[in-house]
Amino acid sequence: MREIGGRTLAFLVSVDTSPGLAGFVEWGDQELCYETSDCRGSAFLPPSYTAGLPVPRFTTYAPPVPFLVVMRGTHGIYQLGSVPGPVPGSRKVFFYDQATCEQYGGVFTPPDECCQPQCSSSSDELAEAGTVDLATLSLVPPFHVEGP
């Protein structure tokens, strides 16, 4: 758990010491939805970001300590509130190169973001999201506990 922006967030970490497995548990590709058509303004999470974990649907109520979802690289997203979002107008996906982004009708923003014209979730499935650049937290896996 870590305090970020005045909120306590839970990180999932792996204790496996195998190369590539130690550190943050990555959740793969995620999307953030936006009310606007150009991926600007407040970001919203679809409920699929909780897949595989025994946690509530976030649009019903927020968990006491929200998970910080770590995607590949240094992107992290978490839920800010439990209020359903607006009618989505666009979505931002990560880890695209420019050619792939444009192939899917998106607008590329370096180094790896792609704004596409349609979110896969409806407004009653969305909850407001926050984002964090994990590189700014100075957390370097593999993690360990230091004690007396």
Side-chain angles (χ1 to χ4, degrees):
M1 296 178 83
R2 181 91 182 234
E3 188 82 18
I4 297 175
R7 297 185 61 122
T8 300
L9 300 174
F11 292 74
L12 292 178
V13 295
S14 172
V15 295
D16 191 325
T17 57
S18 302
L21 296 178
F24 294 120
V25 173
E26 295 181 348
W27 294 47
D29 298 329
Q30 293 295 326
E31 68 177 5
L32 293 174
C33 298
Y34 296 83
E35 182 175 18
T36 63
S37 62
D38 60 359
C39 297
R40 294 179 193 249
S42 297
F44 294 86
L45 285 168
S48 62
Y49 112 105
T50 66
L53 293 176
V55 295
R57 273 183 70 115
F58 290 145
T59 52
T60 305
Y61 56 92
V65 179
F67 283 108
L68 181 109
V69 174
V70 177
M71 297 177 287
R72 290 183 301 220
T74 62
H75 299 284
I77 58 176
Y78 58 96
Q79 181 189 4
L80 289 174
S82 59
V83 178
V87 174
S90 62
R91 75 180 189 151
K92 183 184 292 182
V93 291
F94 303 90
F95 316 111
Y96 276 55
D97 59 34
Q98 185 168 358
T100 304
C101 179
E102 291 172 354
Q103 176 184 348
Y104 288 101
V107 176
F108 181 74
T109 302
D112 64 357
E113 296 178 4
C114 182
C115 180
Q116 297 175 342
Q118 185 174 342
C119 182
S120 62
S121 298
S122 65
S123 62
D124 63 338
E125 295 177 316
L126 299 173
E128 190 170 6
T131 61
V132 63
D133 180 356
L134 300 174
T136 64
L137 301 179
S138 300
L139 299 173
V140 180
F143 303 116
H144 63 278
V145 176
E146 294 181 8

